Amino acid sequence: MNVSTNILALLFLALGSCQGLRRHHVDGIVEEEIEFVAQPSKFGSLWPLPQKVQISQVSFKLTGFSFNIVDAKQSSAGPSCALLQDAYRRYYEYMFGNAKRSGKNKSRRAGPTDLTELQVWITSADSDCDAYPSVKSDESCEWPLSGIIRLETFSQLIYEDDYGAKSINATSISDFPRFPHRGILLDTSRHFLPVKVILANLETMAMNKINVFHWHIVDEPSFPYMSKTFPQLSQQGAFHPYTHVYTPADVKMVIEFARLRGIRVVAEFDTPGHTQSWGKGQKDLLTPCYSGSKLSGSFGPVNPILNTTYTFMTQFFKEVSTVFPDGYVHLGGDEVDFNCWKSNPNITKFMDQQGFGRDYSKLESFYIQRLLDIVATTNKGYMVWQEVFDNGVKLKPDTVVHVWIGGRYNDEMSKVTAAGYPTLLSAPWYLDYISYAQDWQNYYKVEPLSFNGNAF
């Protein structure tokens, strides 16, 4: 997707125009590259630090009564772009608070050092304010003279003196993200989170330019996602059918809140393991476990040998594909416990018929392959945890393999990328890696590309 059709392009602020170039030209002359920043800025607090930035000593005053964020006359997006208008209002409040502009203040004329206007110039010929961000959204921009920056970056450049007066220094910025996918995972199955908490997380993500909300919405302990097609899943599987569920309106609110901030929402529905909560509301979905020759009364992973399983999954993921607009859905596939499958005589018979022997990873692969085929019919791409790749499941070339297991994750990254698959890395950033003293520093010491392969 090019700049003209993605939503993130609309969030870049300009005093000039954004050409989306890595080099810049003025009157046909190639300018020198902007210096890399080696030390933190003393003006404002930029986070994350742009690729290149120059902050001059020339400063301008900003006051809430005289400053405006406006559409440039040349911009292809104007007042009808609700996303931009929402961003202008939101960032004005970030910078100046919710105080109303008084008539008394309006009568004061702006001084010669006041910055009174930030013009937003969208150069795309067909800007689409209703589109959703995608993994192909182009977030790179630069300008050699006055600087093209995100709204977030602009607000971070503002600083106050001892009396609360706000200033900003003339700045040149050249920035682009190192990785197109910068995500946060929240698990709302093990730890139900109210919608207001999820929205607060999205707000904080936007402030840090994190652009993917990986919503691990259901798992073993609970099923809070309220399905229109299968309402019994949350009625039986949620911690509480009224207070601990996400209604269709809740989900829609989260997705729209994220869209306005350039954040993708990638939902995860993990199977065949981690599905005990699914089985409470969907009869015969899970595998009955045996103790010797008798049923034990417990259940294991999704039953992969029944046609009804795939009928259910077809209907369920058809709904998911319409509810979540992102181009990807996360299908999990991790930590499948084979013990229940091993105990079930019907599973054993099926294994013999398929020629799987007693290799239960082949049975897992059989299930996941059929699931991938089902999801492919919804025109969605899919992400899977690394075990799916490790077990030799036949994957489509654009399948995203998510590496999460600690230890020798660099070796795993090498194998996955060598096989040609795009890859996500989470292994070194799990927040439960708690140790003594300032353990947070370890997260910042990770080099994601410290393996032999290619970056996604």
Side-chain angles (χ1 to χ4, degrees), residues 362-414:
K362 291 183 178 179
L363 181 61
E364 178 189 12
S365 298
F366 173 85
Y367 165 80
I368 291 178
Q369 184 60 62
R370 290 197 62 175
L371 180 63
L372 298 184
D373 290 341
I374 288 170
V375 174
T377 64
T378 68
N379 295 318
K380 292 286 188 183
Y382 37 74
M383 302 178 182
V384 294
W385 294 112
Q386 69 182 75
E387 289 96 323
V388 177
F389 169 82
D390 293 340
N391 289 337
V393 177
K394 183 180 179 182
L395 301 174
K396 293 188 176 182
D398 59 347
T399 304
V400 179
V401 178
H402 200 158
V403 175
W404 72 278
I405 298 176
R408 301 176 64 86
Y409 61 83
N410 281 335
D411 291 342
E412 184 76 9
M413 293 288 286
S414 297

Side-chain angles (χ1 to χ4, degrees), residues 415-450:
K415 293 176 183 177
V416 174
T417 55
Y421 295 110
T423 311
L424 291 176
L425 176 63
S426 294
W429 293 297
Y430 272 70
L431 297 181
D432 58 353
Y433 293 162
I434 299 173
S435 60
Y436 182 72
Q438 294 180 334
D439 56 351
W440 59 268
Q441 295 181 354
N442 294 327
Y443 296 112
Y444 291 92
K445 294 177 182 178
V446 175
E447 170 46 61
L449 299 185
S450 59

Side-chain angles (χ1 to χ4, degrees), residues 312-330:
F312 165 79
M313 291 297 175
T314 298
Q315 294 176 285
F316 181 76
F317 280 101
K318 182 179 180 180
E319 174 189 319
V320 167
S321 70
T322 61
V323 171
F324 294 93
D326 194 76
Y328 285 88
V329 61
H330 204 302

